[in-house]
Amino acid sequence: MDPSLPCLLLFTLVGSVVSSFDSRHHNSTRRYGYCVLGAGPAGLQMGYFLSKANRDYIILERNSGPGSFFNKYPRHRKLISINKIHTGRRNREFNLRHDWNSLLSDKPELLFRRVSSEFYPPADAFPLYLSMFVKELGLRVQYGVDIGRIRAAQSAAGRSYILTDQHTSDYTCSVLLVATGLWVPQKVEFVGSDLVEGYESISTDPEDYRDQAVLILGKGNSAFETAQSILGRASRVHMLSSSPVRLAWQTHYVGDLRAVNNELIDTYQLKSLDGLVEARLEKIVIAQRKEQSRRRSGGGKKERKRQLYLTLKKYVHSREEKNGSDVTGEELPGHHIDNFPMRKPYDRVIRCLGFRFNFSVFDSSACPPHSENAKGRLPGVTAWYEGKDTPGLFVLGTAAHSRDYRSSAGGFIHGFRYTARAVHRVLERRYHSNRWPSTQLLTTQLQSWILKRVGEASGPYQMFEVLGDVVLLRGSHCEYLEEFPIQALPQFSSLSGREVSSHGLIVVVMQYGKKKIDYLGRSRAETDWTKAWQSNFLHPVLYYYDTLPTEEEMKLRPPGWPLPRPKAIHHMVEDFLTEWDGPISHIQPLRRFLEHCVHTDLRAFYAESCFRLSLTHRKPPQFCQQGYLKHQGVPHSGRPRQHVHDAGPAPAEQDAGTSGADPAFPNYLAPAGASMSSGLKLDL
Amino acid sequence: MEKAARGKKDIVLGYVQSLGTQEHRSMMETAYVYGSRYQFILITGGPVLKHLGVNESSHSSGVWFLHCRVHSGFMTPMTPERCPLTRMRKPLSTLSLHAFLQLMEAPLVSEVYDDPSSVQPPQFPYQQTPQVFLFSRPATEHLDLDTATALAWRLRGLALLLLVHRQSPAVRTPDEYNAAYRLPEKSSEVKYLTLHSLDEVLDIFINQEKEEEEEEEEEDEEEDDSHFGNVDDEIAATVFENRGNLLDMDSITQLTSENFHTAVAQSSLTVALFYLKWDAVSMAFLSSFIEVAELLADSEVHDVQMSAVDCGEWTDLCAAQPGSAVPFQPITAFPSVLLLRPRESAQPYRGMLGSEALHRFIMMSRADCPLLLSTQDDVTSFLQDVSHPELTGYKPDRVVGLFKTHTPTGLQVFTAAAKSLRGDVLSGLLTDGPAEKWAAGLAVDLPAVLVFPSWRTHTHPSALPASSSAEELLTHINTARLHPMPELTVENLPSFLWLGKALLILFVGEEEDEIGRRQNQALVEEMRGVVELGGWRMERYLPCWIHLGRTPAGMSVLGSYLGSMPPLPALVLTHLPSGGGVYQYPPNTPIAASSVLLWLQRVEDGAESPAGTLGEDSWPPAADFYDFLNIMDTQEADSTQQQSPKEEEEEEEDEEEVDVKEHLVSNEATHDNLDSNTHSEL
């Protein structure tokens, strides 16, 4: 283990003493430009951006250290976010594609790899990493502040949010960034739900499950993680939820069942006493059998283990009494269907249904609505993560996952570290008039720049179909904006502070194919670039619009598309190495698409060609204008190995046949025959 | 034909498969320039081919050079009644044909009295040609020469033959070797060998050729595979063709985010190329960059560190954010070259992206900037290449600042301008007493900036008006450097186009002999006369000339101006502010200053009609893009259309989905799921 870790802990300890010292002024109101609620990965990530921009901010955390969720969860203490240290590359940006735990900062070494080298790291490493992050970046975190009530106040100065902690101290903030994560266990009400244990409190000692039959409600990663840990001790593990297992390697959604947790699928398919079952939880009943318990209770043997039966609501006779958890034999499904799969009783039923957002601390004036998806477990937010109807209140981190629930990575560290950055850019624009950062490029450099981004950028790669690069075309140059939340494209100008010109814009997004295929079958990958739109794996897609799409267009976009139908679209064919640098398959088709968007020839020319084109035209092509005419021509290298069909000294004229600028073959040569003799029939 | 040409002209025989191809065009263009020197013959098939030993089905063009002009005494004995012939082995293109013809003009055998290792590598235009050395002893001198000539004939077009006289004391080659050769690519190392027969030498070069040819044939096949596969960008195509050749990066330092600061601190000058592997221009320039690095290493230049940054890998360094401060701004254009000196901000290289220009720039950059001159002798040696003897060949422009140290206002401006011209111009600084003395001699007052363009004698510098900013001074300096009647070349055209004047271009052809050379000279002089005679009226024009032999790219310019190739010399007026018309001076009228002026006046008056026009300024894409949207529309029409604006539909769908689920649960009959695709067991 890293010998510096104990020191680090000590520092953290000292740090928290100091911060609690600071917070001894009770019952006073403190004002901040920004309050970040929660010192988890999302809160700290935002804290870093605020700190770097020198903003007046505070991070409030009810526990005594950062990332306290990870002190308890996942219960079996193994993170399934990959920590790939050895990528064979030194590109920091590229390496973040395979580092799902680190947060963004300008310190190249402030990465998760410093606390763990394991591919699936232990959960304890994560709070350790967060402490290091806070310490090295000097983030302002106030621990031990438990906010119990949040309300909005409207004043002449504008809207603000007032947070009240356990000591009734108030914190007034112009902007509230809610990064509280999800930690309230999700429960489903059904008859007998009180007989069920929760993931949050079950024993993690496999010995406690020796020879027991266990029913797990849920088929997500926490359910499978639990199943996996008891597989060697329990007699039967059955898993039940309404929908079949979604495998992450089939859905490309990291929240679905990861292969690292899927051992039970193996034992199920190899018929080794475990199994998966589908049923809606609202329809089931978990109960004990009446007769049995009555008969034996008289005997005084209370130690006998209770048996839990699963039955369906429709078989259970309605009864008035509240405690309806005991059923008769006739009420069991086995009585009706003799081969009912779950006719045998269980020793335990465990609920592993995930977590929900804690709405309870929000006053009605400040409460974001429940999301339409994810069973309403999450707050509903706009495309730029502001609470719907709560201006100035933004939701960050896992709680903001309703935007890309079950599709992209917005609910996970490696995804929301980028959405946090996007939100910060929105804040900088709105409250400090700093426009969205952009890189100005010559249009002839755009192709290389796009190739650079699709080859290395981590943000659009993780947050595929959610964050995309926006290229504002301006004629001979363009502006390149990184990682804009593309659902907010209709509000692009106000959010970014940048205008779209009449030349239009290009949006570069990473996408998976939408077809359900055999993901390990022979035809899973497309290699022909002309069929790039049928790529199944992650690949770059470029959308060209002449004007910004409207909100209406965004709403009515083609099913499954991240953006409305554009003027032109370009798919770059999926690449096994995710490098997209093939001259014929990737680069040339991209160039032609860009040429189509900017209506101009973007090819590179040797100095000799530029010389000719500059003398025969008032203005040569853009490449010559931006290179050759600025004395940066590319002379044809001395080696005359240049026999290329099109690329002799006069390529433009060859190809310009289509554009009509020049004849395909220079007819002026014909009369030059003074010194030529026709030797066609010459006999020597 | 052969008989007719015997003793008078050499014949260039070209075979192309069909007319209208690139090869045909190359042939015609070359014929145009060299027409007066050689007899050109073009064939597309027939018995001649058989005679030449070509299999017509081989589908490759070819060029043969028939040496008909040579004196019979020098001829090979093989076919006395035939002219000896040489086949061009490189694929036919204008450039290769040029090189080939120039090679045909090279002396068959040169005799040297130096050791092969100290014989200069072949000079322009033969720099890409291998050299073969044979050794001669005084006793067998004639025999050796005959042997050498025989071999030279067989190597003609492949290599240059040099006969080394062993009796010279400079020759240090051990006696065990009787031959040596030097290849152009492999720096300038000479390889020695002991030959038993002449065929062995031939084998060396012919095998090499074969390898190359095979390579090319393979490439041809690949390229034919898919009609989408053609790279239509000329630079990308060159890079694509050479994709099999790995670049040897040993001669350059790889700069990374980690070693950047230490590497830059180690050398007084670090030249850093920022490149992207997928950018064809970057890769084309990278190989030139490596050439320069090798050249510097070979010429013992040790104070320059040539280095490269792979911006696909060191993205943080190229974004100027490696975690610590770097002396440059984020790189957003590729390739970029920066000159880095310890504790100084980076100087961008703004020259041509080729080895020659870069090498020159680096060599010039090594000079102090500005060089402090303290005496008149310093000035003289500065102006006469004495202070920088290694730069003599470059004919650099020079700038000298004359200042008084106690009024340093203009001095800062001058120093800033000199710094930004570093590598391009040599600059010197002379102050106080000596400066005043010299200025008095030239009748200028201090402070003064004097420009000494390379094309003018040192006694007549241009004194520049006072400048308030470095930018202004730069503009003045750059304007003063421009030749008033330049020979336009690929390299210098941008400087002159920048003036925005109408171009009065004289096109002259390759001179056949001394007479031709003198004629061309006279024409250029006559053009000068036009300037002098025209006076202020000529200010809106830039009189200039293009030598088609040195600048073959000028040929297609002329052709495109006039629609046909006029007899040379040709005088053309183009780039007029008034419009896109191109005017041709009457071809059969002698070019005389007074009549040219009259003609210009007539053009201005609108009395002449244009002989051609400039091309359009819009550059639409040369190739269509692949319209994925259209293809998706045809193949999956439903999936690409916007949804109709009824919102209820979506909700209904949702409900339907719910229904399906309910159906699954309420209908627990286990038999059902045998047919269903879900894993439901309830």
Side-chain angles (χ1 to χ4, degrees), chain B residues 19 27 68 119 158 186 197 267 288 337 370 417 454 461 539 565 578 609 611 620 646 675 677:
Chain B
L19 300 174
M27 200 58 201
C68 295
V119 171
L158 274 180
K186 310 268 158 38
S197 84
S267 177
S288 308
V337 175
S454 56
E539 267 173 27
M565 289 305 241
S578 52
S609 51
K646 270 184 277 172
D675 309 324
N677 288 327

Side-chain angles (χ1 to χ4, degrees), chain B residues 243-386:
Chain B
R243 66 196 182 282
N245 309 344
L246 281 180
L247 287 172
D248 177 11
M249 308 274 276
D250 288 351
S251 53
I252 56 176
T253 309
Q254 301 286 332
L255 285 187
T256 69
S257 308
E258 281 135 30
N259 72 9
F260 179 82
H261 291 286
T262 43
V264 170
Q266 268 166 11
S267 177
S268 60
L269 175 59
T270 301
V271 183
L273 166 67
F274 293 79
Y275 70 97
L276 292 172
K277 281 198 180 115
W278 50 83
D279 173 46
V281 180
S282 285
M283 293 319 278
F285 185 44
L286 179 57
S287 63
S288 308
F289 193 85
I290 291 172
E291 259 170 52
V292 173
E294 284 167 356
L295 197 58
L296 289 173
D298 289 345
S299 52
E300 310 276 311
V301 174
H302 297 304
D303 55 346
V304 179
Q305 172 175 237
M306 297 292 282
S307 63
V309 187
D310 176 356
C311 289
E313 196 66 17
W314 302 101
T315 186
D316 46 352
L317 179 58
C318 299
Q321 290 172 333
S324 56
V326 289
F328 57 87
Q329 295 295 307
I331 309 291
T332 56
F334 300 92
S336 282
V337 175
L338 294 180
L339 278 77
L340 304 158
R341 297 180 176 87
R343 294 172 305 282
E344 277 183 49
S345 58
Q347 180 198 357
Y349 168 68
R350 295 209 177 87
M352 294 270 281
L353 304 179
S355 48
E356 214 175 307
L358 179 67
H359 184 248
R360 174 195 157 103
F361 189 89
I362 292 171
M363 294 304 281
M364 300 253 297
S365 288
R366 295 166 70 214
D368 282 351
C369 176
L371 181 67
L372 297 180
L373 310 168
S374 48
T375 65
Q376 186 58 46
D377 285 349
D378 283 355
V379 175
T380 315
S381 69
F382 172 72
L383 292 179
Q384 292 177 351
D385 293 330
V386 183

Side-chain angles (χ1 to χ4, degrees), chain A residues 514-533:
Chain A
K514 295 284 175 273
K515 283 217 180 69
K516 295 273 171 283
I517 53 155
D518 177 355
Y519 296 95
L520 298 175
R522 287 203 179 276
S523 59
R524 63 188 178 275
E526 189 55 66
T527 52
D528 176 358
W529 72 263
T530 61
K531 298 198 180 92
W533 63 284

Side-chain angles (χ1 to χ4, degrees), chain A residues 90 314 557 612 615 618 628, chain B residues 258 313 490 561 579 668:
Chain A
R90 302 298 302 275
K314 60 181 174 184
R557 60 188 189 268
R612 186 167 53 76
L615 280 174
R618 212 171 274 282
Y628 176 71
Chain B
E258 281 135 30
E313 196 66 17
V490 170
Y561 280 159
E668 328 81 341

Side-chain angles (χ1 to χ4, degrees), chain A residues 271-282:
Chain A
K271 292 314 273 180
S272 188
L273 298 179
D274 303 318
L276 300 172
V277 189
E278 280 74 51
R280 290 195 60 180
L281 295 185
E282 291 82 355

Side-chain angles (χ1 to χ4, degrees), chain A residues 89-91 314 456 556-557 565 588 592 601 604 606 609 612 615-619 628 633 668 679 682, chain B residues 43 48 230 232-234 238 258 312-313 315 353 490 556 561 563 576 579 615-616 619 633 636 643 668:
Chain A
R89 294 281 305 269
R90 302 298 302 275
N91 184 324
K314 60 181 174 184
E456 71 181 21
L556 300 175
R557 60 188 189 268
R565 183 182 166 92
Q588 181 154 292
R592 289 185 177 166
D601 193 336
Y606 280 116
S609 303
R612 186 167 53 76
L615 280 174
T616 52
H617 296 74
R618 212 171 274 282
K619 263 190 200 162
Y628 176 71
Y668 58 76
L682 188 72
Chain B
I43 54 173
V48 183
N230 294 340
D232 63 2
D233 173 307
E234 56 183 4
T238 315
E258 281 135 30
E313 196 66 17
T315 186
L353 304 179
V490 170
S556 44
Y561 280 159
L576 286 162
E616 301 224 356
W619 292 94
D633 280 346
E636 280 180 17
Q643 299 174 45
E668 328 81 341

Side-chain angles (χ1 to χ4, degrees), chain B residues 150-214:
Chain B
L151 180 63
W153 271 112
R154 296 170 69 181
L155 283 174
R156 188 132 229 199
L158 274 180
L160 297 171
L161 204 126
L162 290 95
L163 190 63
V164 182
H165 289 273
R166 255 198 209 280
Q167 76 268 32
S168 163
V171 178
R172 296 181 306 270
T173 310
D175 282 347
E176 69 204 77
Y177 299 117
N178 57 12
Y181 66 94
R182 163 151 55 194
L183 299 176
E185 310 91 52
K186 310 268 158 38
S187 61
S188 54
E189 194 189 324
V190 177
K191 290 209 172 106
Y192 296 92
L193 35 135
T194 312
L195 292 179
H196 303 290
S197 84
L198 291 180
D199 290 343
E200 289 175 40
V201 185
L202 232 49
D203 284 348
I204 294 173
F205 293 101
I206 290 176
N207 283 345
Q208 223 193 0
E209 288 284 318
K210 267 188 196 151
E211 274 171 35
E212 281 185 23
E213 270 172 36
E214 272 166 31

